Amino acid sequence: MSEAPALTIKNLSKTYDNGFSALKGVDLTVPQGGFFALLGPNGAGKSTMIGIISSLFKPTTGSVHIFGNDLLENPSVAKQYLGVVPQEFNFNMFEKVEDILITQAGYFGISAKEAKPRAERLLTALGLWDKRDSMSRELSGGMKRRLMIARALIHKPKLLILDEPTAGVDIELRRSMWEFMQQINIEENTTIILTTHYLEEAEQLCKRIAILDHGEIRINTDMKDLLAQLSVETFVFDISTPLEHPLQLTGVTEVTQPDDFTLEVTLTEGESLNGVFAQLSEQGITIASMRNKSNRLEELFMRLVDKNIQNGDSMKESGL
Ligand SMILES: Nc1ncnc2c1ncn2[C@@H]1O[C@H](COP(=O)(O)OP(=O)(O)OP(=O)(O)O)[C@@H](O)[C@H]1O
Ligand SMILES: [Mg+2]
């Protein structure tokens, strides 16, 4: 396969028939290989972008290339590389689970005989093999979501796009779904783009992240660099014995005591967590446990959205 990126989007815009501009000249390149997170608040334009990539509708301007193949000029080739799990269930509710996969394979010129072992492997891995003869409408919500994933993978796409694949899926199942997705990523060398509102998923899985907001890409960077940019972090300490008097800590941005057994310490970049440990220990305070007050990506996201509400479209100059 060529060295072309898995996905290249240039100047992509979409104005819906009612005049609403959902995408405003988006440029995005997703390299081959790992997991890529596309995040953004409700209505940011994520599903619009994915709708264009899956040829559900045409962009107003711009181009999409999948592994170097122009989607608008050469859709049949580009689509061979692509599997999409849309946000809304869109399979035939009156078709049986296994048949849905076999039918899908047919769209890619794969015979039923050839598709069957692959369908069995996918349905087994996603915990749906027992349901293979059930009508799809009889599945639970989480099962329907997994059926969407199995269907998207039947033709071994090199790029898999998942639009909120874990919405409505319980925590345990989510974990096993991601394990499976990681397996596909490694064994089949499939690049995976995902949107999610569970930001911790993006943080754990994705090497790169783009944030879309009001139809524009605000951030496109390495997850590591992004997290490093977040300069303020709050730690919550659970204390073993009650604090008898107000605590004095130096070299921290803020310290609060919500109750006698809890201490919240905010550090800005450059301030040392080790310094906090040392001072607590000097003062004879034993720490039972410690955790981050909130997920850092979540914090960034909130700041992004807050700023946007306050400043209209001036986010770009904010340097975030
Ligand atoms: N068919 C349509 N006609 C007009 N406007 C639309 C249409 N589909 C979506 N929109 C609007 O485009 C904007 C982007 O919607 P989109 O579904 O792409 O957002 P999203 O980022 O996927 O949000 P969510 O996180 O809620 O899924 C929204 O303001 C939405 O109301
Ligand atoms: Mg959406």
Side-chain angles (χ1 to χ4, degrees):
M1 205 180 306
S2 72
E3 288 304 304
L7 177 71
T8 311
I9 287 177
K10 288 207 177 111
N11 190 32
L12 198 69
S13 66
K14 175 70 186 174
T15 303
Y16 282 110
D17 290 345
N18 65 359
F20 184 81
S21 194
L23 291 178
K24 301 167 187 165
V26 167
D27 291 313
L28 185 67
T29 300
V30 177
Q32 289 187 23
F35 282 73
F36 186 101
L38 177 66
L39 303 187
N42 288 133
K46 304 179 297 293
S47 296
T48 300
M49 190 194 280
I50 292 170
I52 293 170
I53 299 167
S54 25
S55 307
L56 273 184
F57 35 77
K58 288 218 146 47
T60 309
T61 68
S63 66
V64 176
H65 286 78
I66 299 166
F67 287 94
N69 301 288
D70 192 320
L71 179 69
L72 296 170
E73 287 183 1
N74 208 350
S76 57
V77 177
K79 282 185 197 172
Q80 293 282 344
Y81 289 92
L82 178 70
V84 179
V85 178
Q87 194 168 4
E88 311 289 340
F89 301 135
N90 65 350
F91 45 74
N92 180 349
M93 290 287 171
F94 297 95
E95 200 173 4
K96 288 180 181 170
V97 168
E98 191 180 6
D99 293 347
I100 287 176
L101 268 63
I102 306 294
T103 305
Q104 180 78 359
Y107 296 139
F108 293 93
I110 303 165
S111 69
K113 187 164 171 274
E114 221 182 313
K116 267 193 168 272
R118 173 83 173 163
E120 179 172 350
R121 191 199 150 200
L122 290 170
L123 291 175
T124 305
L126 288 160
L128 290 172
W129 184 240
D130 289 351
K131 299 279 179 187
R132 63 189 176 277
D133 290 324
S134 301
M135 207 76 94
S136 64
R137 67 175 170 164
E138 292 163 13
L139 300 181
S140 75
M143 290 173 189
K144 286 185 178 121
R145 186 69 60 196
R146 283 177 280 148
L147 172 57
M148 297 278 286
I149 294 169
R151 186 186 62 174
L153 286 168
I154 192 71
H155 61 295
K156 297 193 179 171
K158 285 288 160 212
L159 172 62
L160 177 68
I161 302 182
L162 304 155
D163 198 354
E164 301 202 28
T166 47
V169 175
D170 69 49
I171 292 207
E172 203 178 322
L173 214 54
R174 243 189 272 165
R175 198 170 302 135
S176 71
M177 264 175 58
W178 287 127
E179 275 168 15
F180 172 66
M181 240 71 91
Q182 281 171 313
Q183 206 182 324
I184 292 284
N185 171 245
I186 291 164
E187 287 174 10
E188 300 187 358
N189 193 23
T190 300
T191 305
I192 298 180
I193 300 175
L194 59 104
T195 78
T196 175
H197 285 277
Y198 299 109
L199 298 167
E200 69 279 11
E201 283 184 347
E203 191 173 344
Q204 277 165 26
L205 288 163
C206 300
K207 201 168 160 302
R208 285 196 65 85
I209 175 173
I211 296 184
L212 188 69
D213 187 32
H214 286 75
E216 293 180 68
I217 297 284
R218 307 289 182 187
I219 292 172
N220 181 4
T221 183
D222 266 9
M223 185 71 81
K224 200 160 48 74
D225 293 345
L226 180 72
L227 295 176
Q229 271 178 42
L230 287 176
S231 55
V232 179
E233 206 170 353
T234 300
F235 298 91
V236 181
F237 295 87
D238 298 312
I239 310 294
S240 304
T241 45
L243 295 162
E244 278 159 13
H245 39 78
L247 196 69
Q248 296 296 319
L249 287 180
T250 56
V252 303
T253 299
E254 193 184 4
V255 53
T256 56
Q257 280 174 229
D259 59 61
D260 286 351
F261 289 92
T262 315
L263 199 62
E264 290 189 4
V265 180
T266 302
L267 300 180
T268 308
E269 208 174 337
E271 291 173 342
S272 146
L273 187 57
N274 278 339
V276 176
F277 283 126
Q279 291 178 67
L280 291 176
S281 148
E282 271 166 26
Q283 297 179 42
I285 295 165
T286 319
I287 302 159
S289 65
M290 186 200 82
R291 63 196 145 85
N292 276 73
K293 186 167 184 188
S294 65
N295 175 301
R296 290 186 295 161
L297 197 53
E298 187 101 42
E299 235 165 68
L300 170 100
F301 205 43
M302 293 310 292
R303 266 163 44 195
L304 181 82
V305 176
D306 281 353
K307 280 202 178 166
N308 208 52
I309 290 166
Q310 285 162 18
N311 302 342
D313 270 338
S314 65
M315 270 299 306
K316 274 194 173 153
E317 292 99 62
S318 76
L320 237 181

